[in-house]
């Protein structure tokens, strides 16, 4: 449980991509430049997904590395910790995406959607998954928490699609504005 809590706390690293995108997105939002926001967020989504896939890959392929970092030494706990790290790691990819989107919705002045993403993906669904999984033992708790993030992301996506429709999903940017935007890119040396 200590490794699971520490590993879950380490996921704050996923907010780094959102923090990096924030200055550009907020400036472009103020300028009503939706085309540039899409461009920045496309790069941010790729970076977040790569970051999530990398951490997922490390947790699934090399759980012993994570175990050494957290200092688990008791032989009877190593195998259980290895299982915990692998199963929790299954939720790191959607967690990275949820962290970026939660930050992004704050940048474009949609705080309620941001709160919903945070509650669904970081609290409600992982806790519900862990409670349901507890019926199958400790491994079920870790599996439920890991896949609960996927459920939270799906619930958030469904709610946005129902409320706003598929146009502009997930960035919630109107396409009609883009016809009025002209962008020029320059290379500075």
């Amino acid at each position: 449980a200590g490794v699971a809590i520490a590993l879950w706390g380490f996921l704050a690293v996923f907010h780094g991509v959102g923090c990096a995108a924030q200055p550009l997105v907020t400036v472009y939002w103020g300028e009503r430049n939706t085309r540039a926001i899409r461009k920045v967020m496309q790069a941010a989504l790729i970076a977040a997904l790569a970051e999530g896939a990398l951490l997922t890959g490390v947790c699934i392929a090399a759980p012993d590395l994570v175990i050494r970092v957290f200092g688990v030494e008791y032989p009877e706990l190593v195998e259980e910790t290895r299982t915990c790290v692998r199963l929790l790691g299954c939720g790191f990819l959607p967690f990275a995406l949820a962290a970026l989107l939660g930050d992004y919705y704050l940048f474009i002045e949609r705080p309620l959607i941001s709160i919903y993403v945070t509650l669904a993906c970081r609290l409600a669904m992982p806790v519900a998954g862990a409670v349901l999984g507890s019926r199958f033992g400790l491994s079920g708790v870790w599996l439920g928490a890991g896949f609960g993030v996927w459920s939270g992301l799906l619930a958030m996506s469904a709610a946005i699609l129902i409320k706003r429709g598929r146009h502009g999903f997930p960035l919630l940017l109107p396409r009609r504005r883009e016809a009025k935007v002209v962008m020029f890119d320059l290379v500075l040396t």
Side-chain angles (χ1 to χ4, degrees):
V3 170
I5 291 167
L7 194 56
W8 199 261
F10 177 74
L11 297 182
V13 72
F14 289 142
H15 288 288
V17 176
C19 288
Q22 186 256 344
L24 291 172
V25 171
T26 54
V27 167
Y28 291 143
W29 179 256
E31 295 174 350
R32 306 261 188 241
N33 189 345
T34 56
R35 185 177 292 172
I37 293 172
R38 281 185 205 286
K39 194 173 181 180
V40 169
M41 285 307 294
Q42 181 181 16
L45 285 167
I46 290 169
L49 290 173
E51 186 180 42
L54 178 68
L55 191 55
T56 296
V58 167
C59 286
I60 291 173
D64 291 334
L65 176 68
V66 177
I67 290 171
R68 262 186 268 131
V69 168
F70 290 113
V72 176
E73 297 173 358
Y74 298 106
E76 59 274 3
L77 292 179
V78 170
E79 189 57 41
E80 186 63 40
T81 305
R82 195 177 287 133
T83 302
C84 168
V85 168
R86 283 187 174 132
L87 293 176
L88 279 179
C90 294
F92 292 170
L93 183 66
F95 198 99
L97 186 58
L100 175 62
L101 290 175
D103 292 342
Y104 168 76
Y105 293 133
L106 281 177
F107 305 156
I108 64 164
E109 301 170 0
R110 302 287 190 275
L112 292 178
I113 298 173
S114 178
I115 290 170
Y116 178 72
V117 169
T118 302
L119 287 176
C121 296
R122 297 182 84 174
L123 182 63
M125 294 306 220
V127 168
V131 168
L132 288 173
S134 69
R135 295 179 183 186
F136 304 101
L138 203 49
S139 293
V141 171
W142 311 134
L143 184 66
F147 280 99
V149 182
W150 286 100
S151 301
L153 197 59
L154 288 173
M156 181 269 310
S157 299
I160 291 174
L161 285 169
I162 290 168
K163 176 91 172 154
R164 306 263 182 176
R166 68 178 179 85
H167 299 291
F169 177 80
L171 299 180
L172 306 178
L173 298 173
R175 290 256 183 214
R176 66 185 180 280
R177 238 184 241 166
E178 290 183 16
K180 299 175 185 177
V181 175
V182 178
M183 288 178 40
F184 298 93
D185 292 331
L186 302 173
V187 176
L188 299 177
T189 58

